[in-house]
Amino acid sequence: TSVHAAQSNCLLDSGSNCNLITRELVDRLKLKTFKKANCIQGISSESLKTNEMVTINVQSFNTDWHQKISCLVVESITPPLPHFSFSTEGWDLPESCKLADPRFNRPKCINLLLGADIMFDVLESRKLQCKVQELPFLIKTKLGYIVSGKVHKVGSPTRNVSAVAVSHPPVQEQLAKFWQLEDVDAHIP
């Protein structure tokens, strides 16, 4: 078997009890999936059924940390994060901090979500406050330092964001399909 590698954009989620990978990343890595029915529940008890899983090796670019994990395969994890680009000018980040994502301030598609079991294994104990108090924290992980906290877009009101989005067809669309099926059944002799 050949080994395929690709850099991916990962979200650490302490509220998730599973790991997720996008179909796009599975296809790009030419991974073989296996069938396993699962139901993911999210915000407002929304649920999403999945029927594929994959086992992958996750590896840090900054350290020797690596781990074999199983992921549920989904079409999408979140909208691109962060939701807007922002400048880090004046942040005065310590030079000793090797960032897990040096481009953390630019929106990008998230194609891997590491749930609580992996997240707490990756976190280390060091947390640094940026020199300017209103800025996010730097948290040391086995992947490198991550940036966590609020960031405000200059000249814009604060935006509400979600960590994980589960999308479904609109209720009206689902009801229309239901009634179409009911109508077909009613005409069968």
Side-chain angles (χ1 to χ4, degrees), residues 24-82:
E24 181 275 328
L25 185 56
V26 167
D27 292 346
R28 187 167 22 126
L29 291 171
K30 299 178 178 134
L31 300 172
K32 291 189 184 230
T33 62
F34 56 93
K35 299 288 182 198
K36 182 162 184 187
N38 287 285
C39 184
I40 303 168
Q41 286 199 311
I43 297 169
S44 297
S45 297
E46 291 289 324
S47 61
L48 172 70
K49 292 182 192 265
T50 65
N51 59 9
E52 287 183 285
M53 289 188 78
V54 67
T55 301
I56 62 171
N57 290 306
V58 180
Q59 178 177 326
S60 170
F61 285 104
N62 293 318
T63 68
D64 61 357
W65 180 85
H66 59 93
Q67 190 159 344
K68 188 176 193 175
I69 64 171
S70 293
C71 298
L72 301 176
V73 180
V74 296
E75 290 303 316
S76 174
I77 296 173
T78 68
L81 292 177

Side-chain angles (χ1 to χ4, degrees), residues 12-149:
L12 299 176
D13 186 355
S14 65
S16 178
N17 61 4
C18 62
N19 304 305
L20 305 175
I21 188 170
T22 61
R23 163 73 50 208
E24 181 275 328
L25 185 56
V26 167
D27 292 346
R28 187 167 22 126
L29 291 171
K30 299 178 178 134
L31 300 172
K32 291 189 184 230
T33 62
F34 56 93
K35 299 288 182 198
K36 182 162 184 187
N38 287 285
C39 184
I40 303 168
Q41 286 199 311
I43 297 169
S44 297
S45 297
E46 291 289 324
S47 61
L48 172 70
K49 292 182 192 265
T50 65
N51 59 9
E52 287 183 285
M53 289 188 78
V54 67
T55 301
I56 62 171
N57 290 306
V58 180
Q59 178 177 326
S60 170
F61 285 104
N62 293 318
T63 68
D64 61 357
W65 180 85
H66 59 93
Q67 190 159 344
K68 188 176 193 175
I69 64 171
S70 293
C71 298
L72 301 176
V73 180
V74 296
E75 290 303 316
S76 174
I77 296 173
T78 68
L81 292 177
H83 291 282
F84 54 86
S85 293
F86 55 92
S87 172
T88 58
E89 186 177 330
W91 280 34
D92 200 16
L93 298 172
E95 288 183 32
S96 62
C97 291
K98 200 164 212 171
L99 295 172
D101 178 7
R103 297 169 48 99
F104 70 91
N105 59 325
R106 296 187 181 128
K108 60 193 82 54
C109 290
I110 302 299
N111 44 28
L112 187 63
L113 180 143
L114 299 180
D117 60 332
I118 304 299
M119 181 189 156
F120 288 109
D121 177 53
V122 196
L123 288 178
E124 296 186 358
S125 60
R126 189 163 187 199
K127 179 174 97 171
L128 300 174
Q129 172 69 53
C130 291
K131 293 181 181 179
V132 179
Q133 291 296 320
E134 305 86 50
L135 295 177
F137 289 96
L138 295 169
I139 301 170
K140 188 173 184 184
T141 74
K142 293 174 183 169
L143 304 170
Y145 278 88
I146 60 171
V147 180
S148 181

Side-chain angles (χ1 to χ4, degrees), residues 145-159:
Y145 278 88
I146 60 171
V147 180
S148 181
K150 290 183 183 179
V151 176
H152 300 284
K153 187 173 182 180
V154 177
S156 294
T158 303
R159 297 180 181 196

